[in-house]
Amino acid sequence: MCGIAGHLGAPRGPRLRASMHAALLHRGPDAAHAVCLATDGTRLAPDAEAAVGLVHTRLSIIDPRPVADQPMANDDGQVWIVYNGEVYGWQAAARELEARGARFRTASDTEFILRGYEAWGIAALLPRLRGMFAFAIVDFRTGRLHVVRDRLGLKPIVYAHDANGLAFGSTVRSVLPWLARERRGFSPDAIDAYLAHRYIPAPRTIFTHIARLPNGHRLEYDLAQRTLALHRWWSPQGEPGADCAARLDEAIELRLVADRPLGLFLSAGVDSGVIACRLAATGHRELRSFSAAFPGSDFDESEEARAAAQALGLPNERIVVPTSIRDDFARIVAALDEPFADPSSFPTWYLARATEAHVKVVLGGDGGDELFAGYKRVAKHLRTGWRGRFTVPLPVLPDVRAKGWRKAMGEASMDYEAAYALRFSGLTPNQRRFLQPARTTFPVHYWRAPDFSATDRHDRLLRWDFANYLPEYVLRKADLATMAHGLELRAPLLDHRFVEAVLGLPPAVRFTTPPKLFLGELAPELHRLGVFARKKRGFNPPLSGWLRADLHERFAMVPASLHASTGGLVDAGRTQALLAAYAHAPSLAEQVLSLVILEESLRQLAALAADGT
């Protein structure tokens, strides 16, 4: 797991690469390198003006020797790679390459990808990669750059492109220094998208001229012509009749390979619970588990998690999430890279910080809700499926109030599938109009169209989650909050071979009441532990307490600051009215948090954008 960045095109100097490097240091605490290359692949001095620059910061998990550091080149120095992620189970294919004459210098998956690209080319390589990854390969033999994001979107990658060239990076902040000063403006559509969704869905980012590569996609850039093409290389496909139990055990086993200490994030829920059960059943009882605790809160499920760990014979560490976030708020917002308002980001950040003191790799349960319709919003929305594309052209009026008939009016004015986006939204259409009186257009949502078709009524909704909510909300949070502390998070439930097996299940088996009973068939211990009898609580922090104590002092500066940083798009007086309404309407807590985070994030990013790099 690492941080990657690079620039190609018009020659740029060492200051740019230093800025990219500084933005990625937290993602790679073990090693950091950069290379400068001419247009023919000749390696230049580190302080040169270079047409191609590659930057890498390394979290060493597999083959931590310096020989496996990056950027990494092939034998003649004509192909280079920078890579973030983990590919699993590649060793058999590496032996195939060795039989064809390849000579491996390392035991790293980085070199496997590099050698595989040399032998097979990009199109034939990608189906052979099992895992999570974002990488860039520069091939001076063909004059092409390939930038790739993994199937489900576990690893992030963003990019910027203009007539002068292209830049890419793991984070928005690593690409920003490449942009000309006049191209560093915030996107009005991205601001509205953030207000609508709590995050900015791909392909947008907060900056007009920086884009996010969607999951399952790749870029191909022509170094000579400076042209860019986008290709989708994977979309979810079910595999009927596959052995889900075997696929899950294999997915877990593959993710236990590491040259650094490894553990498990464990809650009292089904998803991490099934992984814990399978670990115990297959003899891996030495793994330490880590559980977040919110003492004295209704959100605290650490005792149930500890009881489950004890029953399974797994060591357990209870991590107490601080009751105050005042001193860490700005650092956490910075770690989230751009405006991002998932309240669970904060406890995840604290859990990762404490866990990293013990291990460098953890398994987690991300993906179960998207695979098995575990979210309450799915069942709620299915009850309105009778209306299909029928809409009622009701007016949507600017207002700060979030619930009741105003929200129902907004939903009724949209078709059934479009309205699903509002089941997990930030500010309602009413509130977006209220805060942005100068804006004339308000799209229903900013979600990317699904990558696959579906006939089952559950799957027709979940495919929207697979294209948007899972990669850009759940997995972005998981990556940023853990990598802020140099901790690698692996998600066995999102192994693409297991995903394909689950998608091939009959709907009656896959979608149950309560949800995820199929996972109970794969791990009967879940029933004995009482997991299915518990009410789903999610990973929720004591948000109201934070807003009324730690963050309340920020309320006074938010309206004017947001007005200034958005060029007047977010109205100061109306922002003040919404913040004031929170005193009498606790249901506005998440909307208020979104505004407080937006103000801090935009202020940080504006300062970076003003830098003279």
Side-chain angles (χ1 to χ4, degrees):
M1 300 292 284
C2 309
I4 66 173
H7 64 86
L8 303 92
R12 299 292 297 269
R15 186 177 178 187
L16 168 62
R17 292 182 288 279
S19 296
M20 289 178 154
H21 173 218
L24 296 170
L25 270 177
H26 60 283
R27 295 185 67 89
D30 297 327
H33 301 285
V35 297
C36 304
L37 304 162
T39 53
D40 62 357
T42 301
R43 189 162 183 175
L44 305 175
D47 59 351
E49 294 277 329
V52 177
L54 300 175
V55 176
H56 190 268
T57 61
R58 186 181 186 199
L59 173 61
S60 305
I61 302 299
I62 301 294
D63 193 354
R65 298 174 300 162
V67 69
D69 285 353
Q70 303 175 48
M72 183 181 289
N74 71 339
D75 294 335
D76 64 8
Q78 287 293 290
V79 182
W80 286 82
I81 184 173
V82 284
Y83 157 56
N84 168 35
E86 295 289 352
V87 170
Y88 312 108
W90 52 269
Q91 291 79 3
R95 290 192 290 271
E96 176 187 336
L97 293 173
E98 287 177 322
R100 297 174 55 170
R103 294 293 176 262
F104 284 78
R105 302 186 302 268
T106 74
S108 71
D109 49 340
T110 306
E111 188 174 9
F112 167 70
I113 297 173
L114 180 63
R115 302 292 185 188
Y117 170 79
E118 284 188 283
W120 303 312
I122 194 69
L125 167 68
L126 294 180
R128 296 172 182 258
L129 302 183
R130 185 174 184 175
M132 54 182 180
F133 46 85
F135 63 82
I137 292 177
V138 186
D139 188 341
F140 290 100
R141 304 168 309 178
T142 63
R144 296 288 191 273
L145 165 75
H146 304 281
V147 180
V148 181
R149 190 176 182 196
D150 65 59
R151 295 171 180 85
L152 278 303
L154 289 102
K155 294 292 102 187
I157 193 80
V158 300
Y159 64 97
H161 173 234
D162 63 22
N164 293 315
L166 179 141
F168 63 87
S170 296
T171 64
V172 165
R173 296 178 186 222
S174 67
V175 171
L176 179 62
W178 181 83
L179 288 177
R181 290 280 294 276
E182 65 272 14
R183 291 170 60 84
R184 296 181 183 181
F186 297 135
S187 163
D189 283 349
I191 291 169
D192 188 51
Y194 167 81
L195 294 175
H197 298 291
R198 309 188 201 182
Y199 67 102
I200 302 166
R204 290 179 173 84
T205 75
I206 189 60
F207 290 99
T208 300
H209 296 291
I210 300 178
R212 188 175 306 279
L213 184 62
N215 61 294
H217 284 67
R218 65 180 179 89
L219 298 175
E220 186 171 330
Y221 177 70
D222 186 309
L223 276 68
Q225 301 299 319
R226 298 185 181 176
T227 55
L228 186 65
L230 175 67
H231 305 280
R232 187 173 76 191
W233 69 271
W234 182 83
S235 60
Q237 300 291 333
E239 186 179 344
D243 187 338
C244 290
R247 292 275 177 90
L248 178 58
D249 282 349
E250 183 182 44
I252 294 172
E253 196 70 33
L254 287 171
R255 284 158 179 78
L256 297 178
V257 177
D259 293 325
R260 306 291 292 274
L262 188 145
L264 167 70
F265 279 164
L266 181 63
S267 71
V270 175
D271 301 335
S272 62
V274 71
I275 297 170
C277 289
R278 296 314 303 158
L279 285 169
T282 53
H284 296 289
R285 291 188 172 88
E286 76 285 356
L287 262 70
R288 298 178 68 176
S289 59
F290 301 88
S291 304
F294 304 94
S297 166
D298 293 339
F299 306 114
D300 189 15
E301 57 181 24
S302 60
E303 288 305 320
E304 292 99 324
R306 173 175 289 182
Q310 290 176 342
L312 296 170
L314 300 174
N316 183 255
E317 185 83 20
R318 184 171 177 263
I319 306 297
V320 176
V321 175
T323 56
S324 173
I325 63 170
R326 179 183 288 107
D327 294 341
D328 296 314
F329 181 76
R331 292 176 60 200
I332 296 173
V333 171
L336 297 174
D337 192 33
E338 61 175 339
F340 188 85
D342 180 356
S344 70
S345 299
F346 293 85
T348 303
W349 189 90
Y350 285 113
L351 177 62
R353 184 178 68 175
T355 299
E356 190 273 336
H358 304 282
V359 300
K360 287 294 183 180
V361 184
V362 287
L363 305 186
D366 288 333
D369 287 308
E370 289 76 18
L371 286 171
F372 297 99
Y375 295 118
K376 295 177 183 177
R377 66 175 182 268
V378 176
K380 289 181 179 178
H381 201 67
L382 286 173
R383 290 197 287 269
T384 68
W386 55 269
R387 66 187 186 92
R389 294 193 174 276
F390 176 75
T391 63
V392 180
L394 297 173
V396 181
L397 305 174
D399 200 334
V400 299
R401 285 163 284 190
K403 295 186 180 298
W405 62 268
R406 292 174 180 82
K407 188 169 184 178
M409 283 177 61
E411 183 175 327
S413 67
M414 310 165 193
D415 68 49
Y416 168 67
E417 287 202 1
Y420 179 61
L422 294 186
R423 290 289 177 180
F424 190 88
S425 61
L427 278 74
T428 67
N430 296 352
Q431 294 165 336
R432 289 160 55 199
R433 283 172 169 80
F434 178 79
L435 289 178
Q436 302 171 94
R439 186 177 176 89
T440 57
T441 60
F442 289 88
V444 172
H445 63 78
Y446 291 85
W447 277 5
R448 185 169 65 85
D451 291 329
F452 66 102
S453 59
T455 55
D456 178 77
R457 63 194 189 113
H458 292 82
D459 242 349
R460 284 200 298 272
L461 298 182
L462 293 178
R463 66 193 183 121
W464 288 92
D465 283 335
F466 265 86
N468 298 279
Y469 180 78
L470 176 63
E472 306 305 341
Y473 192 81
V474 175
L475 297 180
R476 194 187 305 180
K477 180 269 303 287
D479 173 83
L480 294 171
T482 55
M483 288 302 291
H485 305 289
L487 179 70
E488 177 176 305
L489 176 60
R490 299 175 175 179
L493 296 180
L494 292 176
D495 179 277
H496 81 274
R497 298 287 285 144
F498 178 67
V499 169
E500 290 167 348
V502 170
L503 294 182
L505 290 171
V509 175
R510 184 178 165 202
F511 304 120
T512 59
T513 304
K516 309 180 191 177
L517 287 176
F518 180 75
L519 291 178
E521 296 181 21
L522 303 186
E525 298 92 335
L526 290 172
H527 292 283
R528 292 194 290 272
L529 293 171
V531 173
F532 291 105
R534 298 189 192 114
K535 181 180 179 181
K536 182 179 177 65
R537 281 183 281 187
F539 194 45
N540 299 307
L543 181 55
S544 294
W546 288 347
L547 286 172
R548 297 187 185 281
D550 298 355
L551 302 180
H552 192 268
E553 61 198 34
R554 292 174 169 266
F555 285 17
M557 70 180 189
V558 165
S561 179
L562 273 183
H563 186 87
S565 62
T566 63
L569 183 66
V570 177
D571 183 82
R574 295 189 175 198
T575 300
Q576 179 60 48
L578 192 149
L579 294 173
Y582 173 60
H584 309 289
S587 63
L588 292 173
E590 291 185 351
Q591 287 86 349
V592 169
L593 178 68
S594 292
L595 294 176
V596 175
I597 290 174
L598 181 64
E599 186 279 328
E600 175 64 32
S601 183
L602 293 186
R603 189 154 45 83
Q604 291 181 10
L605 292 168
L608 292 173
D611 182 77
T613 300

